[in-house]
Amino acid sequence: MAQLTDDCFAHGGRLMRTDEALALLQEKIDCVTATETLTTADALGRILREDIVAPGNIPPHDNSAVDGYAVYFDDLNAEGPTRLRVSGRQAAGQRRIEAPARGEALRIFTGAVMPDGPDTVMMQEDCTLEDGHVLIPAGIKRGANRRDAGEDVTAGSKVLFNGQRLRAQDLGQAAAVGRAELQVSRPLRVALFSTGDELREPGEGLVAGSIHDSNRYTLMGLLKSLGCAVSDLGILRDNADNIVSALDQARRDHDLVITSGGVSVGEEDHVKHAVETLGTMHAWRLAIKPGRPIALGQIGGVPFVGLPGNPVAVVVTYLVFVRPMLLRLMGGTSMPPQSFPVRADFAHRKKKDRREWVRVNLQRNGDGSWNAEKFPRDGAGILSSLVESQGLIELPEDLTQVEPGMLVDYLPFSEVIG
Ligand code: AMP
Ligand code: MG
């Protein structure tokens, strides 16, 4: 792809709305991953990089939907039962045999090709068999229990699309149209760092003033669940030279560099200087809560994303901005996660012109609808609030007050976090 230019993420320092930020990312970010051929069985979770067209009809031939007897509907009595001689037998996987003569029935099984002539299948459970004849009760509809050629997929139609992320049923569909191999994106190579003198690895003891690094573990999970090949590059100390050499190394063999922490404007926030030494960086002041600053830039043409340090801000900014960015880098078409309306079971004030995400749990009402309860501890540093809640309510910029009973937009974590 074309390398990113110095000013590609420039944005004049104004407070930026979510839609504006997403539009800018959409415009500046392109697919960078090469394609590879995988067997269909191995392609789960990958981005498909070709359209898949069905070469033939599915099913390829009219066939029976049940075990029973294929008959000519016009041979059946409208009132009362019909007695037909059974001639012939057609099982699944056999070539089509001669059609029975008019006035006769054919023994047939689920998935077996319909012979040329009979148009209707009687379920065996509804029939009685007596000395080579079948007794068929009245009341069946013409064409019942028969599946038409092409009723699932018509020959020549597109069944899977370039840019879609392959789910289990998509692999089944690829196999159904006969594809043993698929062209997919190679995994996006992501370099991941944490920054901060206070951070220690889990397993290491804590000394005064230190905490365990959690963001890297959250981010590794998020990135891997989207199919990225993550290089865990550890913790960077708050030391400019150290950060410069680590980032310079990382950009050489990765498609994207992600850090968390160190991108506010404090004296100890060295990431900005380091990235600017190697390339360019623009701090985006986003009109969001939680989150606020994220940094976007490039190091030698490789995109760089600096996420905030606070653990909840990391997840929210990842879900809203980084996830769509990753999908785009991998050649995916836009796949907005599906949120749905639920009733707020809480009151909440918010600032106008800012988009906010509130952590909630759902409760089922007597009428089957859902109520969202706000998680009580809502600081941007409260990681346990993400563990103990089920999803996020997204509150739009214009809104200033949530009242109990109001319809609000709910995004389950299960939609976006693997
Ligand atoms: P910073 O943006 O570096 O000032 O960090 C903001 C807050 O997030 C501070 O309280 C940090 O200690 C915390 N923080 C930064 N990085 C991590 C991390 N990797 N894991 C857990 N907390 C972090
Ligand atoms: Mg820090």
Side-chain angles (χ1 to χ4, degrees), residues 350-366:
K350 74 174 268 298
K351 265 198 192 155
K352 194 165 162 36
D353 294 331
R354 179 165 88 176
R355 199 176 291 194
E356 245 185 79
W357 288 269
V358 175
R359 284 144 271 172
V360 297
N361 280 304
L362 293 192
Q363 288 292 337
R364 193 95 149 164
N365 292 315

Side-chain angles (χ1 to χ4, degrees), residues 369-381:
S369 65
W370 294 101
N371 264 6
E373 285 178 358
K374 184 165 175 279
F375 193 80
R377 291 171 296 126
D378 63 359

Side-chain angles (χ1 to χ4, degrees), residues 69-77 81-87 100-107 118 120 122 127-137:
Y69 299 88
V71 298
Y72 296 85
F73 181 79
D74 289 335
D75 290 346
L76 304 180
N77 300 323
T82 311
R83 191 166 185 274
L84 301 174
R85 194 173 82 83
V86 179
S87 75
R102 288 299 301 259
E104 290 184 343
L106 174 83
R107 180 73 171 123
T120 302
M122 252 341 272
C127 303
T128 322
L129 200 62
E130 45 182 41
D131 31 289
H133 288 72
V134 61
L135 202 64
I136 294 173

Side-chain angles (χ1 to χ4, degrees), residues 27 64 83 97 101 125 142 157 182 239 256 322 341 343 360 369 380-381 385 418:
E27 180 191 331
S64 176
R83 191 166 185 274
I97 59 167
E125 290 83 342
R142 185 190 296 274
S157 64
L182 298 170
N239 162 317
L256 175 69
V322 181
R343 280 196 195 287
V360 297
S369 65
S385 66

